[in-house]
């Protein structure tokens, strides 16, 4: 059984490295073409964005490898090692950022991030070599590739759909906001939202590991699922209470009064979307643990279509975040209905 696992591990590593290298090379060579889809070439930030983008995509193969490696450790029920290596990479990034930024400017920030990805990749690779999970045996590479691509089909399309969703929104914001104030507010709100989502993604990640393990042991997964949902609700309510200090939190990130004003208008909506996202995210993890991926793909595609259709009608930032909240609610209801069926 372990030999078969090693075959899949090696296939996943080669695919990640190959796809990452191809994407990195393409985006590096055609960086201006890719960026022009998001930023007008006449924009004052285009030149700086292009410099950052070109040096950041150098790290793309390592990012994909690190994601693959972390999934391997999660599959081995050895998440702690993956977390430690990820933390090490972040520490390297924190240390290198000030030095490279001072010497090379915006280019230095991208280089430091790419170097931290490389460090994580090196440690992951050395550890897997030590545990003898990396070999040069690729006898069933084509067969394993087809099998893995079929299993990953819905997951990949789900991720692409969500990326398309945020791309469509960002495009609309660029048209709405000539000064860039709304775009800055949206970026800060998105970062804040993702920061609040870390715990929920951790619970969802735990579900993808614990539930399959319990199924192998023929244990009842209902209690575990309910506990995960319970803690997602409790922690989301705790996070909502922090929103009362929202203005002070964002004051550390920007001193622009107009940006702060835009952010303040979204705070009540944030209080709604956080618990909705908490429950929906944990339900996604539970469904993945039960080997149900299709409903997540349907949710992602539905959200993308809705955003593409409605984007032209958005006139302010509040409308965008209200739409996000409604789509998250629909996603949660669909996932919960599927959860009740399993």
């Amino acid at each position: 059984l372990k030999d078969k696992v090693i075959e899949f591990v090696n296939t996943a590593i080669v695919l990640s490295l190959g796809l990452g290298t191809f994407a990195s090379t393409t985006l590096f060579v055609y960086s201006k073409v890719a960026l022009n889809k998001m930023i007008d070439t006449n924009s004052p930030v285009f030149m700086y964005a292009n410099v950052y983008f070109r040096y950041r995509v150098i790290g793309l193969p390592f990012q994909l490898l690190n994601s693959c490696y972390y999934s391997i450790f999660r599959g081995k029920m050895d998440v702690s090692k993956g977390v430690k290596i990820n933390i090490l990479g972040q520490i390297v990034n924190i240390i290198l950022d000030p030095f490279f930024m001072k010497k090379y400017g915006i280019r230095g920030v991208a280089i430091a991030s790419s170097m931290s990805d490389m460090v994580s990749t090196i440690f992951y690779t050395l550890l897997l070599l030590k545990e003898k999970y990396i070999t040069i045996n690729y006898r069933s590479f084509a067969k394993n590739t087809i099998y893995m691509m079929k299993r990953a089909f819905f997951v990949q399309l789900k991720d692409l759909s969500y990326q398309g969703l945020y791309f469509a929104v960002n495009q609309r914001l660029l048209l709405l906001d000539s000064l860039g104030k709304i775009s800055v507010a949206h970026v800060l709100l998105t970062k804040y939202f993702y920061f609040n989502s870390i715990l929920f993604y951790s619970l969802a990640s735990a579900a993808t590991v614990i539930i399959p393990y319990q199924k192998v042991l023929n244990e009842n997964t209902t209690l575990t699922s309910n506990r995960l949902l319970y803690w997602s609700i409790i922690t989301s309510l705790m996070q909502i209470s922090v929103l009362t200090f929202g203005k002070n939190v964002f004051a550390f990130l920007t001193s622009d009064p107009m940006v702060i004003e835009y952010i303040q208008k979204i705070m009540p909506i944030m209080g709604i979307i956080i618990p909705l996202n908490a429950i929906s995210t944990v339900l996604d993890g539970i469904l993945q643990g039960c080997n149900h991926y299709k409903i997540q793909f349907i949710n992602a595609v539905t959200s993308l279509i809705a955003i593409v259709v409605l984007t032209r009608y958005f006139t302010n930032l509040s409308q965008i975040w209200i739409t996000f909240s409604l789509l998250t609610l629909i996603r949660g209801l669909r996932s919960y209905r599927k959860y009740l069926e399993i």
Side-chain angles (χ1 to χ4, degrees), residues 245-256 260 263:
F245 305 99
K247 185 175 182 179
N248 296 325
V249 171
F250 286 101
F252 287 104
L253 304 175
T254 178
S255 58
D256 192 308
I260 293 291
I263 289 173

Side-chain angles (χ1 to χ4, degrees), residues 155-173:
V155 176
Q156 296 303 318
L157 285 183
K158 180 198 75 172
D159 292 339
L160 287 173
S161 296
Y162 281 125
Q163 291 301 318
L165 183 153
Y166 292 114
F167 172 76
V169 168
N170 290 333
Q171 284 288 88
R172 182 58 181 171
L173 286 174

Side-chain angles (χ1 to χ4, degrees), residues 29-275:
V29 174
Y30 299 102
S31 60
K32 290 185 178 180
V33 176
L35 274 178
N36 193 33
K37 301 295 182 182
M38 297 175 281
I39 305 173
D40 190 274
T41 52
N42 296 321
S43 171
V45 302
F46 184 85
M47 181 181 68
Y48 300 102
N50 186 52
V51 171
Y52 178 86
F53 184 76
R54 294 192 79 192
Y55 283 92
R56 191 65 188 99
V57 296
I58 293 174
L60 188 56
F62 304 102
Q63 293 173 42
L64 289 182
L65 277 173
N66 292 339
S67 179
C68 175
Y69 284 146
Y70 182 77
S71 298
I72 291 168
F73 281 99
R74 192 170 67 181
K76 289 164 71 260
M77 302 291 290
D78 197 5
V79 179
S80 62
K81 290 180 181 177
V83 171
K84 289 176 183 176
I85 292 176
N86 285 347
I87 292 173
L88 174 64
Q90 294 303 314
I91 292 173
V92 170
N93 193 12
I94 292 170
I95 294 172
L96 293 180
D97 255 347
F99 296 102
F100 278 78
M101 182 168 59
K102 185 176 181 180
K103 189 168 184 178
Y104 301 109
I106 190 69
R107 177 178 55 179
V109 177
I111 293 172
S113 298
S114 295
M115 288 182 67
S116 69
D117 291 328
M118 294 177 195
V119 170
S120 296
T121 300
I122 291 170
F123 277 91
Y124 270 127
T125 304
L126 291 174
L127 187 55
L128 286 173
L129 282 169
K130 182 180 178 180
E131 296 179 356
K132 298 181 179 179
Y133 273 90
I134 296 179
T135 67
I136 56 173
N137 182 4
Y138 300 102
R139 290 175 301 178
S140 304
F141 179 78
K143 181 180 178 182
N144 291 338
T145 298
I146 294 171
Y147 176 80
M148 293 174 69
M149 294 302 287
K150 285 181 178 179
R151 294 293 298 271
F153 178 75
F154 288 117
V155 176
Q156 296 303 318
L157 285 183
K158 180 198 75 172
D159 292 339
L160 287 173
S161 296
Y162 281 125
Q163 291 301 318
L165 183 153
Y166 292 114
F167 172 76
V169 168
N170 290 333
Q171 284 288 88
R172 182 58 181 171
L173 286 174
L174 290 172
L175 295 175
L176 287 177
D177 183 22
S178 58
L179 297 176
K181 305 293 185 180
I182 299 178
S183 297
V184 172
H186 179 67
V187 168
L188 292 176
L189 285 164
T190 303
K191 293 295 183 184
Y192 180 79
F193 178 69
Y194 282 148
F195 179 78
N196 279 279
S197 301
I198 290 174
L199 180 57
F200 312 139
Y201 284 118
S202 299
L203 291 172
S205 181
T208 63
V209 175
I210 296 172
I211 290 177
Y213 183 71
Q214 288 185 318
K215 283 185 172 293
V216 170
L217 298 177
N218 291 319
E219 295 179 358
N220 190 341
T221 61
T222 303
L223 179 61
T224 300
S225 300
N226 289 339
R227 282 177 176 173
L228 290 168
L229 288 170
Y230 170 79
W231 282 110
S232 72
I233 295 170
I234 294 299
T235 52
S236 67
L237 293 177
M238 292 171 60
Q239 289 182 4
I240 290 174
S241 64
V242 179
L243 289 176
T244 55
F245 305 99
K247 185 175 182 179
N248 296 325
V249 171
F250 286 101
F252 287 104
L253 304 175
T254 178
S255 58
D256 192 308
M258 189 177 295
V259 173
I260 293 291
E261 184 180 346
Y262 284 128
I263 289 173
Q264 283 294 100
K265 291 178 181 179
I266 308 301
M267 285 291 103
I269 304 172
M270 192 70 75
I272 298 172
I273 195 173
I274 285 177

